[in-house]
Coordinates of all heavy atoms in Angstrom, one line a residue:
I30 N 70.4 -1.5 -35.8 CA 71.1 -0.3 -35.6 C 72.5 -0.6 -35.0 O 73.5 0.0 -35.5 CB 70.4 0.6 -34.6 CG1 69.1 1.1 -35.3 CG2 71.2 1.9 -34.3 CD1 68.2 1.9 -34.4
H31 N 72.6 -1.5 -34.1 CA 73.9 -1.9 -33.5 C 74.9 -2.3 -34.6 O 76.0 -1.9 -34.7 CB 73.7 -3.1 -32.6 CG 74.9 -3.5 -31.8 ND1 75.9 -4.2 -32.3 CD2 75.2 -3.3 -30.5 CE1 76.8 -4.4 -31.4 NE2 76.4 -3.9 -30.2
E32 N 74.4 -3.2 -35.5 CA 75.3 -3.7 -36.6 C 75.8 -2.6 -37.5 O 77.0 -2.6 -37.9 CB 74.5 -4.7 -37.4 CG 75.4 -5.5 -38.3 CD 75.0 -5.4 -39.8 OE1 74.3 -4.4 -40.2 OE2 75.4 -6.3 -40.5
V33 N 75.0 -1.6 -37.8 CA 75.4 -0.5 -38.7 C 76.2 0.5 -37.9 O 77.3 1.0 -38.4 CB 74.1 0.2 -39.3 CG1 74.5 1.4 -40.0 CG2 73.5 -0.8 -40.3
A34 N 75.8 0.9 -36.7 CA 76.4 2.0 -36.0 C 77.8 1.7 -35.6 O 78.7 2.6 -35.6 CB 75.6 2.3 -34.7
Q35 N 78.2 0.4 -35.4 CA 79.6 0.0 -35.1 C 80.5 0.6 -36.1 O 81.5 1.2 -35.8 CB 79.7 -1.5 -35.1 CG 79.6 -2.1 -33.7 CD 79.6 -3.6 -33.8 OE1 79.2 -4.2 -34.8 NE2 80.1 -4.3 -32.8
D36 N 80.2 0.3 -37.4 CA 81.0 0.8 -38.5 C 81.0 2.3 -38.7 O 82.0 2.9 -39.0 CB 80.6 0.0 -39.8 CG 80.9 -1.4 -39.7 OD1 82.0 -1.8 -39.1 OD2 80.2 -2.2 -40.3
I37 N 79.8 2.8 -38.6 CA 79.6 4.3 -38.8 C 80.4 5.1 -37.8 O 81.0 6.1 -38.1 CB 78.1 4.7 -38.8 CG1 77.3 3.8 -39.8 CG2 77.9 6.2 -39.1 CD1 77.8 3.9 -41.2
F38 N 80.4 4.6 -36.5 CA 81.1 5.4 -35.5 C 82.6 5.5 -35.9 O 83.2 6.6 -35.7 CB 81.0 4.7 -34.1 CG 80.0 5.4 -33.3 CD1 78.6 5.1 -33.4 CD2 80.4 6.3 -32.3 CE1 77.7 5.8 -32.6 CE2 79.5 7.0 -31.6 CZ 78.1 6.7 -31.7
D39 N 83.2 4.4 -36.4 CA 84.6 4.5 -36.8 C 84.8 5.5 -38.0 O 85.6 6.4 -38.0 CB 85.1 3.2 -37.3 CG 85.4 2.2 -36.2 OD1 85.4 2.7 -35.0 OD2 85.5 1.0 -36.5
F40 N 83.8 5.4 -38.9 CA 83.9 6.2 -40.1 C 83.8 7.7 -39.8 O 84.5 8.6 -40.4 CB 82.9 5.8 -41.1 CG 82.8 6.6 -42.4 CD1 83.8 6.6 -43.3 CD2 81.6 7.4 -42.6 CE1 83.7 7.4 -44.4 CE2 81.5 8.2 -43.7 CZ 82.6 8.2 -44.7
I41 N 82.9 8.1 -38.9 CA 82.6 9.5 -38.7 C 83.5 10.1 -37.6 O 83.3 11.3 -37.3 CB 81.1 9.8 -38.4 CG1 80.6 9.1 -37.1 CG2 80.2 9.4 -39.6 CD1 79.2 9.5 -36.7
Q42 N 84.3 9.3 -37.0 CA 85.1 9.7 -35.9 C 85.7 11.1 -36.0 O 85.6 12.0 -35.2 CB 86.3 8.7 -35.7 CG 86.8 8.7 -34.3 CD 87.8 7.5 -34.1 OE1 88.3 7.1 -35.1 NE2 88.0 7.1 -32.9
D43 N 86.3 11.4 -37.2 CA 87.0 12.7 -37.4 C 86.1 13.6 -38.4 O 86.7 14.5 -39.0 CB 88.4 12.4 -38.0 CG 88.3 11.6 -39.3 OD1 87.2 11.1 -39.6 OD2 89.3 11.5 -40.0
K44 N 84.9 13.3 -38.5 CA 84.0 14.1 -39.4 C 83.0 14.8 -38.6 O 81.9 14.4 -38.4 CB 83.4 13.2 -40.5 CG 84.4 12.4 -41.3 CD 83.7 11.5 -42.4 CE 84.8 10.9 -43.2 NZ 85.7 10.0 -42.5
T45 N 83.4 16.0 -38.2 CA 82.7 16.8 -37.2 C 81.2 17.1 -37.7 O 80.3 17.0 -36.9 CB 83.4 18.2 -37.0 OG1 84.8 17.9 -37.0 CG2 82.9 18.8 -35.8
E46 N 81.0 17.4 -39.0 CA 79.7 17.8 -39.4 C 78.6 16.7 -39.2 O 77.5 17.0 -38.8 CB 79.7 18.3 -40.8 CG 79.9 17.3 -41.9 CD 81.4 17.0 -42.2 OE1 82.2 17.3 -41.3 OE2 81.7 16.5 -43.3
Y47 N 79.0 15.4 -39.3 CA 78.0 14.3 -39.1 C 77.6 14.3 -37.6 O 76.5 14.0 -37.3 CB 78.6 13.0 -39.5 CG 78.9 12.8 -40.9 CD1 80.1 12.4 -41.4 CD2 77.9 13.0 -41.9 CE1 80.4 12.2 -42.8 CE2 78.1 12.8 -43.2 CZ 79.4 12.4 -43.7 OH 79.6 12.2 -45.0
H48 N 78.6 14.6 -36.7 CA 78.2 14.7 -35.3 C 77.3 15.9 -35.0 O 76.3 15.8 -34.3 CB 79.5 14.7 -34.5 CG 80.3 13.5 -34.5 ND1 79.9 12.4 -33.8 CD2 81.4 13.2 -35.2 CE1 80.8 11.4 -34.1 NE2 81.7 11.9 -34.9
E49 N 77.8 17.0 -35.5 CA 77.1 18.3 -35.2 C 75.6 18.2 -35.7 O 74.7 18.7 -35.0 CB 77.7 19.5 -35.9 CG 79.0 19.9 -35.2 CD 79.6 21.1 -35.8 OE1 79.1 21.6 -36.9 OE2 80.6 21.6 -35.3
Y50 N 75.4 17.6 -36.8 CA 74.0 17.5 -37.3 C 73.3 16.2 -36.9 O 72.3 15.9 -37.4 CB 74.0 17.7 -38.8 CG 74.2 19.1 -39.2 CD1 75.4 19.7 -39.3 CD2 73.0 19.9 -39.4 CE1 75.5 21.1 -39.6 CE2 73.1 21.2 -39.7 CZ 74.4 21.8 -39.8 OH 74.5 23.2 -40.1
Q51 N 73.9 15.5 -35.9 CA 73.3 14.3 -35.3 C 72.7 13.3 -36.4 O 71.6 12.8 -36.3 CB 72.1 14.7 -34.4 CG 72.5 15.6 -33.3 CD 72.8 14.8 -32.0 OE1 72.7 13.6 -32.0 NE2 73.1 15.5 -31.0
I52 N 73.5 13.1 -37.5 CA 73.0 12.4 -38.6 C 72.6 10.9 -38.2 O 71.6 10.4 -38.6 CB 74.1 12.3 -39.8 CG1 74.3 13.8 -40.3 CG2 73.6 11.4 -40.9 CD1 73.2 14.4 -40.9
L53 N 73.5 10.3 -37.5 CA 73.2 8.9 -37.1 C 72.0 8.7 -36.3 O 71.1 7.9 -36.5 CB 74.5 8.2 -36.4 CG 74.4 6.7 -36.2 CD1 74.2 6.0 -37.5 CD2 75.7 6.3 -35.6
R54 N 71.9 9.6 -35.3 CA 70.7 9.7 -34.4 C 69.4 9.9 -35.2 O 68.4 9.2 -35.0 CB 70.9 10.8 -33.4 CG 69.7 11.2 -32.6 CD 69.6 10.4 -31.3 NE 68.2 10.4 -30.8 CZ 67.7 11.3 -29.9 NH1 68.6 12.2 -29.4 NH2 66.5 11.3 -29.6
R55 N 69.5 10.7 -36.2 CA 68.3 11.0 -37.0 C 68.0 9.9 -38.0 O 66.8 9.6 -38.2 CB 68.5 12.3 -37.8 CG 68.4 13.6 -36.9 CD 69.1 14.8 -37.4 NE 68.5 15.2 -38.7 CZ 69.1 16.0 -39.6 NH1 70.3 16.5 -39.3 NH2 68.5 16.4 -40.7
I56 N 69.0 9.2 -38.6 CA 68.7 8.1 -39.5 C 68.1 6.9 -38.7 O 67.3 6.2 -39.2 CB 70.0 7.6 -40.2 CG1 70.4 8.5 -41.3 CG2 69.8 6.2 -40.7 CD1 71.5 8.0 -42.2
A57 N 68.5 6.8 -37.4 CA 67.9 5.7 -36.5 C 66.6 6.0 -36.0 O 66.1 5.3 -35.1 CB 69.0 5.5 -35.4
E58 N 65.9 7.1 -36.4 CA 64.6 7.4 -36.0 C 63.7 7.5 -37.3 O 64.0 8.4 -38.1 CB 64.6 8.8 -35.3 CG 63.4 9.2 -34.5 CD 63.2 8.3 -33.2 OE1 64.2 8.0 -32.5 OE2 62.0 7.9 -33.0
P59 N 62.8 6.6 -37.5 CA 62.0 6.7 -38.7 C 61.3 8.0 -38.9 O 60.9 8.6 -37.9 CB 61.0 5.6 -38.6 CG 61.4 4.7 -37.4 CD 62.3 5.5 -36.6
D60 N 61.2 8.5 -40.2 CA 60.4 9.7 -40.4 C 59.0 9.6 -39.8 O 58.5 10.5 -39.2 CB 60.3 9.9 -41.9 CG 61.7 10.4 -42.5 OD1 62.6 10.6 -41.8 OD2 61.7 10.5 -43.8
R61 N 58.4 8.4 -40.0 CA 57.1 8.2 -39.4 C 56.8 6.7 -39.4 O 57.3 5.9 -40.3 CB 56.0 9.0 -40.0 CG 55.6 8.6 -41.4 CD 54.6 9.6 -42.0 NE 55.2 11.0 -42.1 CZ 56.1 11.4 -43.0 NH1 56.5 10.5 -44.0 NH2 56.6 12.6 -43.0
V62 N 56.0 6.3 -38.5 CA 55.5 4.9 -38.4 C 53.9 5.0 -38.4 O 53.4 5.6 -37.5 CB 55.9 4.2 -37.1 CG1 55.4 2.7 -37.1 CG2 57.4 4.1 -37.1
V63 N 53.3 4.5 -39.4 CA 51.8 4.5 -39.5 C 51.3 3.1 -39.1 O 51.8 2.1 -39.6 CB 51.3 4.8 -40.9 CG1 49.8 5.0 -40.9 CG2 52.0 6.1 -41.4
S64 N 50.4 3.1 -38.1 CA 49.9 1.8 -37.7 C 48.4 1.9 -37.8 O 47.8 2.9 -37.5 CB 50.3 1.6 -36.2 OG 49.4 0.8 -35.5
F65 N 47.8 0.8 -38.3 CA 46.3 0.8 -38.5 C 45.6 -0.5 -38.4 O 46.3 -1.6 -38.5 CB 46.0 1.4 -39.9 CG 46.8 0.8 -41.1 CD1 46.3 -0.2 -41.8 CD2 48.1 1.3 -41.4 CE1 47.1 -0.8 -42.9 CE2 48.9 0.7 -42.4 CZ 48.3 -0.3 -43.2
R66 N 44.3 -0.4 -38.2 CA 43.5 -1.6 -38.0 C 43.1 -2.2 -39.4 O 42.8 -1.4 -40.3 CB 42.3 -1.3 -37.2 CG 41.4 -2.4 -36.9 CD 40.1 -1.9 -36.2 NE 39.3 -1.1 -37.1 CZ 38.8 0.1 -36.8 NH1 39.1 0.7 -35.6 NH2 38.1 0.8 -37.7
V67 N 43.2 -3.5 -39.6 CA 42.7 -4.1 -40.9 C 41.6 -5.1 -40.6 O 41.9 -6.2 -40.0 CB 43.9 -4.8 -41.6 CG1 43.4 -5.2 -43.0 CG2 45.1 -3.8 -41.7
C68 N 40.4 -4.8 -40.9 CA 39.3 -5.7 -40.6 C 38.9 -6.4 -41.9 O 38.9 -5.8 -43.0 CB 38.0 -4.9 -40.2 SG 38.2 -4.2 -38.6
W69 N 38.6 -7.7 -41.9 CA 38.2 -8.4 -43.0 C 37.3 -9.5 -42.6 O 37.2 -9.9 -41.4 CB 39.4 -8.9 -43.8 CG 40.3 -9.8 -43.0 CD1 41.2 -9.4 -42.1 CD2 40.4 -11.2 -43.1 NE1 41.8 -10.5 -41.5 CE2 41.4 -11.6 -42.2 CE3 39.8 -12.2 -43.9 CZ2 41.7 -13.0 -42.0 CZ3 40.1 -13.5 -43.8 CH2 41.1 -13.9 -42.8
E70 N 36.6 -10.1 -43.5 CA 35.6 -11.1 -43.2 C 36.1 -12.5 -43.8 O 36.4 -12.5 -45.0 CB 34.3 -10.7 -43.8 CG 33.1 -11.4 -43.2 CD 31.8 -10.8 -43.7 OE1 31.8 -9.7 -44.2 OE2 30.8 -11.6 -43.6
D71 N 36.2 -13.5 -43.0 CA 36.6 -14.8 -43.6 C 35.5 -15.5 -44.3 O 34.3 -15.0 -44.3 CB 37.4 -15.7 -42.5 CG 36.4 -16.2 -41.4 OD1 35.2 -16.3 -41.7 OD2 37.0 -16.5 -40.3

Side-chain angles (χ1 to χ4, degrees):
I30 295 176
H31 187 287
E32 192 240 21
V33 170
Q35 265 175 329
D36 291 325
I37 303 303
F38 258 82
D39 286 349
F40 175 67
I41 64 175
Q42 207 173 19
D43 55 351
K44 299 180 178 61
T45 318
E46 67 276 23
Y47 293 127
H48 292 284
E49 285 183 353
Y50 282 85
Q51 301 265 5
I52 297 294
L53 189 54
R54 166 89 201 266
R55 285 159 62 198
I56 284 188
E58 194 68 42
D60 288 356
R61 67 189 62 78
V62 179
V63 185
S64 153
F65 48 94
R66 184 185 64 229
V67 187
C68 292
W69 58 285
E70 202 173 337
D71 69 22

